[in-house]
Amino acid sequence: MPGVKRSTHTEESAEVEVLLANTDKLKGLTKKIQASLGRLETSGKSVQEAIRPINGNTGKLQITNTNIENINKAIENIRQPLDRRRKEEDVIKSGLSRVDLSDYLASMDRTTQTLTSLRNTNLRSNQEAIAELTYLLKFGGQELENSFRDILTRESVILQTTLQYLTKQLPFPKLSDGCSSKLRSINNYVFHASTAPSARSSADQQDTKTALIYAEVRGHYIQSSTEGLALASINTSRKQDPNANYRAGSSGIGVYATSLEHIFAAEYENIYPVFEREQWMRIHTMSCQSPLNELQRVLGELHKHIKNHLVTDCFLAYEVVDIISSLAFRLEQKNPELKQPVQEALRPVRETAKYSLQRLLEEGRSAVQAIMAIPPDCVTMRPTYDIMARLQLMTVYIKPLGSILTSVGEGGWRSSASGTTTSPTQFRMDVGSDGKELFTSYTSDTIEMLLSSLEGKAKALIKNHNAQSMFLANNIAVVERLINTSELGNLLSSNGRSKLEQWRERVYKQATEVWRSICFNLRDTQYTSRASNPGNRPPSGSNPNHVDSAAFVKNLAGKERDAIKEKFKTFNAAFDDQVARYKGYKLEPEVKSRMAREIAAIIDPLYVRFWDRYHEIDKGRGKYVKYDKSQLQSVIASLA
């Protein structure tokens, strides 16, 4: 066992020695490595010192290389638009006659994008290219505008038979779908180009070139198409007889206004397929401006004619006010901007129409004052017929007259107040009861003026009071007849009729005064003593209405008989004279009938009573008693 232990110990000792030897070697190597590391560190520092400048130069070279690549890219980007410009230039300068519209617009869009890109580079070297592209776009824009005008002009063929569309109730021509499509494409480009920030001026242009072209071309089309009707409106308003009253509907102004209304409506439908919604109203207004200027000229010509013949042609003014005011209100439904210029064009005619109310009263008064003599037959004078004829004509224009009278106000026609200016907001077409009542008041004032003037003239020219009354009765009868046989009868108020009735009754009372004076001789004096005499009483059982003339005459004294004879003679002379005078009057049928009744009511009862009592005064010889009861009644009846 001891031997084994010694052997194990020897082996372990040997291993220890080997480990120690290895350790010594490791230490030696470590020292060598440390020495090498020291030398390597020293060498590394030397290399680092040497490489540092080279590394800096390499970074600069990398930056320079990157910059060169960027420059190359920028040059390439610059060359691309320039190359594109050359391609688009060929398309744009070829014109729409050789290039399809859609291709042309696409080329313009690409050119616009190229120009925007060049402007964003801010390179001085691009200024020339920018100028060339700007010119190219301007050239292309002009080409599009010319094409827009050409397409529109070809479609805007002036109508030679405008009236035919109205009489046959045909719709006015519209732009074809193909034309509208082309115009819309061009306008879309121009509109969006004009609204781009780079294209806006300091004033922010409201109207595009295409809008102005459209308004010019279509405005000329509308004006030229309605020019014939405009001229006809003026020519048909001039009467062959300058002294005749204007006859309703004689002027062509109504047809002219209707044609404008329909062609304006058709034009609005032409606009909305072509332009943007925000442009519709403005372009329609501009397109209608030229025709509206022509309408203003036509109304100006009519106004001159009306002013020169105001008394006879004021009715044309009322008709124009009615037609054009209605046109303005109907146009407003499509385009509110058209109402104001139409009303402004109408204003002079409307003001003259207002003044005519006063002028007609003055003219009527002057016409009566101009009467130098009244015929002995007391015939109705011409001014009465003229004034009433004008009032009858006015009823045809009750709608515009109601509007005019409303703006003038109650009694405004009696002074210069009717010449005041009315603002557009006061234009009324809904007359209602107020307008009719004002017309009734105006009619009543006109009749009052007429009768008052005639009465004054009769007193100045006729000495015989009865003839004065007959003259007035004739004129009143004509006035009443013309009222009752026309629309005036439905319009004249109870107050107006009451005034006229007062005139009539007063005149008839004056006219019968002379007949009452004749009857003065038919009144006799009865004495109670004689009346109570039984001999004067009718016999018992006799008719109480029977008068015994012989008994009455027998009981008269000699002087009383002579007085009765004188009364008969005086009555006969006065009655015959007045009948002769009366038959010399040329009376209206209504006056004859009324006067016959009035005369009969005055004379017949008194004469019958007087005749019944005293007709036996001349024993039937007819020396004093010229008429029996039936003969007198027959003479009176012949006066009707």
Side-chain angles (χ1 to χ4, degrees):
M1 288 301 292
V4 175
K5 290 182 181 180
R6 188 180 301 118
S7 176
T8 303
H9 180 71
T10 301
E11 289 178 0
E12 290 177 354
S13 296
E15 289 177 359
V16 170
E17 287 178 357
V18 172
L19 288 172
L20 289 173
N22 288 337
T23 301
D24 290 339
K25 289 180 181 180
L26 182 59
K27 289 180 179 179
L29 290 172
T30 299
K31 289 178 180 180
K32 289 179 180 180
I33 290 171
Q34 288 177 346
S36 297
L37 286 174
R39 290 193 298 273
L40 183 60
E41 185 176 358
T42 301
S43 298
K45 289 180 179 179
S46 299
V47 172
Q48 186 176 8
E49 293 293 333
I51 290 176
R52 185 174 295 165
I54 296 173
N55 187 37
N57 291 335
T58 301
K60 291 178 180 180
L61 289 174
Q62 290 176 341
I63 293 172
T64 301
N65 186 52
T66 302
N67 290 338
I68 291 172
E69 290 178 355
N70 290 336
I71 290 171
N72 289 333
K73 291 180 180 179
I75 292 172
E76 185 65 24
N77 290 334
I78 292 172
R79 289 182 61 186
Q80 286 180 357
L82 295 177
D83 293 339
R84 197 177 303 147
R85 177 183 62 81
R86 295 186 186 95
K87 296 177 182 178
E88 305 302 346
E89 184 177 12
D90 293 338
V91 175
I92 292 173
K93 289 197 171 181
S94 295
L96 284 165
S97 59
R98 298 181 180 178
V99 180
D100 185 71
L101 178 60
S102 58
D103 295 337
Y104 198 90
L105 292 174
S107 178
M108 291 287 289
D109 287 335
R110 290 192 297 269
T111 303
T112 302
Q113 294 173 2
T114 300
L115 179 61
T116 303
S117 300
L118 288 177
R119 283 175 174 163
N120 291 336
T121 61
N122 293 323
L123 294 177
R124 190 180 303 172
S125 59
N126 287 339
Q127 296 306 310
E128 182 178 355
I130 290 173
E132 291 179 359
L133 288 175
T134 302
Y135 169 78
L136 190 60
L137 285 175
K138 185 177 180 180
F139 177 88
Q142 187 65 47
E143 183 72 17
L144 288 172
E145 292 168 13
N146 292 338
S147 177
F148 189 92
R149 181 186 295 275
D150 292 341
I151 295 170
L152 192 59
T153 302
R154 285 195 298 269
E155 285 282 323
S156 303
V157 180
I158 296 173
L159 302 178
Q160 302 297 334
T161 56
T162 307
L163 184 60
Q164 187 176 9
Y165 287 93
L166 298 177
T167 55
K168 295 185 177 181
Q169 298 182 345
L170 299 174
F172 276 80
K174 299 177 185 177
L175 299 178
S176 64
D177 293 340
C179 174
S180 297
S181 177
K182 291 178 181 179
L183 295 177
R184 180 173 60 251
S185 299
I186 296 175
N187 178 73
N188 285 342
Y189 172 81
V190 174
F191 178 78
H192 291 101
S194 64
T195 55
S198 59
R200 290 177 185 166
S201 64
S202 57
D204 282 335
Q205 294 180 351
Q206 186 176 8
D207 303 318
T208 61
K209 289 285 187 179
T210 49
L212 297 174
I213 292 171
Y214 187 94
E216 176 190 348
V217 173
R218 296 301 290 181
H220 174 73
Y221 157 77
I222 297 173
Q223 179 183 345
S224 299
S225 296
T226 56
E227 193 171 25
L229 296 178
L231 182 60
S233 298
I234 299 173
N235 292 336
T236 55
S237 298
R238 299 190 176 106
K239 309 181 301 295
Q240 292 182 351
D241 182 3
N243 296 321
N245 289 325
Y246 172 79
R247 189 163 49 87
S250 300
S251 173
I253 187 66
V255 177
Y256 178 44
T258 303
S259 68
L260 286 178
E261 179 186 357
H262 284 76
I263 205 167
F264 282 177
E267 198 56 39
Y268 196 84
E269 295 181 11
N270 285 333
I271 288 173
Y272 66 75
V274 176
F275 295 94
E276 300 293 330
R277 178 178 292 274
E278 56 267 32
Q279 294 180 288
W280 291 355
M281 204 76 71
R282 172 72 176 167
I283 294 174
H284 188 250
T285 302
M286 291 192 300
S287 301
C288 297
Q289 190 58 52
S290 181
L292 289 177
N293 291 340
E294 179 66 9
L295 173 63
Q296 185 174 21
R297 186 191 70 81
V298 170
L299 294 180
E301 291 292 328
L302 294 179
H303 180 234
K304 292 178 184 177
H305 175 75
I306 291 168
K307 286 187 69 176
N308 293 334
H309 307 83
L310 185 57
V311 174
T312 57
D313 283 13
C314 58
F315 309 102
L316 173 59
Y318 307 149
E319 183 170 284
V320 170
V321 169
D322 184 21
I323 292 170
I324 303 303
S325 296
S326 299
L327 173 66
F329 280 92
R330 290 195 298 271
L331 290 178
E332 184 185 23
Q333 298 175 4
K334 280 280 186 182
N335 184 354
E337 295 180 7
L338 296 182
K339 179 182 178 182
Q340 182 68 19
V342 172
Q343 289 187 334
E344 287 299 323
L346 177 62
R347 182 178 299 280
V349 177
R350 183 180 176 86
E351 294 301 317
T352 298
K354 290 164 59 178
Y355 170 69
S356 70
L357 299 171
Q358 175 193 353
R359 181 72 179 85
L360 288 177
L361 287 173
E362 294 173 353
E363 173 63 23
R365 190 177 292 110
S366 299
V368 175
Q369 294 301 322
I371 297 174
M372 303 305 297
I374 295 176
D377 59 4
C378 297
V379 68
T380 304
M381 302 301 289
R382 185 75 252 167
T384 299
Y385 289 102
D386 292 341
I387 291 171
M388 293 307 299
R390 288 196 285 266
L391 286 176
Q392 285 180 326
L393 274 176
M394 282 183 167
T395 61
V396 178
Y397 308 99
I398 192 64
K399 181 180 178 182
L401 268 175
S403 171
I404 292 167
L405 287 165
T406 301
S407 63
V408 169
E410 174 66 42
W413 50 81
R414 301 188 191 111
S415 66
S416 59
S418 59
T420 56
T421 302
T422 306
S423 63
T425 56
Q426 291 177 300
F427 281 26
R428 292 179 53 187
M429 292 307 297
D430 182 15
V431 178
S433 59
D434 292 341
K436 291 182 179 180
E437 289 175 2
L438 288 171
F439 177 73
T440 296
S441 179
Y442 178 78
T443 301
S444 181
D445 281 358
T446 302
I447 295 172
E448 181 70 24
M449 174 277 299
L450 170 63
L451 298 180
S452 298
S453 300
L454 287 172
E455 184 179 38
K457 182 57 65 171
K459 290 179 179 179
L461 297 178
I462 304 176
K463 293 182 180 180
N464 186 286
H465 293 291
N466 183 253
Q468 294 175 9
S469 300
M470 290 294 94
F471 173 72
L472 288 174
N474 264 343
N475 285 275
I476 291 173
V478 170
V479 168
E480 289 189 307
R481 184 195 310 148
L482 294 178
I483 288 174
N484 294 330
T485 57
S486 68
E487 187 62 22
L488 286 171
N490 297 325
L491 293 173
L492 193 62
S493 65
S494 57
N495 184 46
R497 289 186 177 277
S498 175
K499 289 181 179 180
L500 187 56
E501 183 178 355
Q502 291 173 12
W503 269 98
R504 183 180 66 246
E505 295 306 316
R506 180 166 67 85
V507 166
Y508 278 111
K509 183 178 180 181
Q510 294 172 356
T512 55
E513 285 295 330
V514 66
W515 298 97
R516 288 188 176 90
S517 67
I518 292 173
C519 293
F520 179 79
N521 295 296
L522 299 177
R523 295 176 182 145
D524 61 331
T525 303
Q526 293 186 27
Y527 298 96
T528 307
S529 60
R530 289 202 178 110
S532 60
N533 191 329
N536 293 333
R537 296 174 185 170
S540 178
S542 65
N543 185 356
N545 294 324
H546 174 74
V547 177
D548 188 352
S549 176
F552 265 97
V553 171
K554 182 178 179 180
N555 290 326
L556 293 175
K559 290 183 178 180
E560 290 176 339
R561 289 184 181 184
D562 291 340
I564 295 298
K565 291 176 182 179
E566 188 63 28
K567 286 185 177 184
F568 268 114
K569 289 172 64 177
T570 304
F571 171 80
N572 293 338
F575 181 75
D576 290 345
D577 178 69
Q578 186 57 32
V579 168
R581 287 176 179 272
Y582 184 86
K583 288 184 176 181
Y585 300 139
K586 189 176 182 179
L587 301 179
E588 299 294 334
E590 300 91 337
V591 178
K592 282 187 175 183
S593 176
R594 172 72 182 269
M595 283 299 297
R597 294 195 304 271
E598 294 284 346
I599 293 169
I602 293 169
I603 293 179
D604 193 56
L606 290 174
Y607 188 82
V608 167
R609 175 181 172 277
F610 197 81
W611 187 89
D612 283 342
R613 288 186 174 186
Y614 305 116
H615 67 273
E616 290 293 335
I617 197 73
D618 64 354
K619 307 297 183 179
R621 293 187 297 249
K623 182 177 179 180
Y624 304 106
V625 183
K626 184 176 181 180
Y627 302 102
D628 61 19
K629 292 185 290 185
S630 62
Q631 288 174 333
L632 185 77
Q633 291 169 352
S634 178
V635 172
I636 294 175
S638 69
L639 301 181

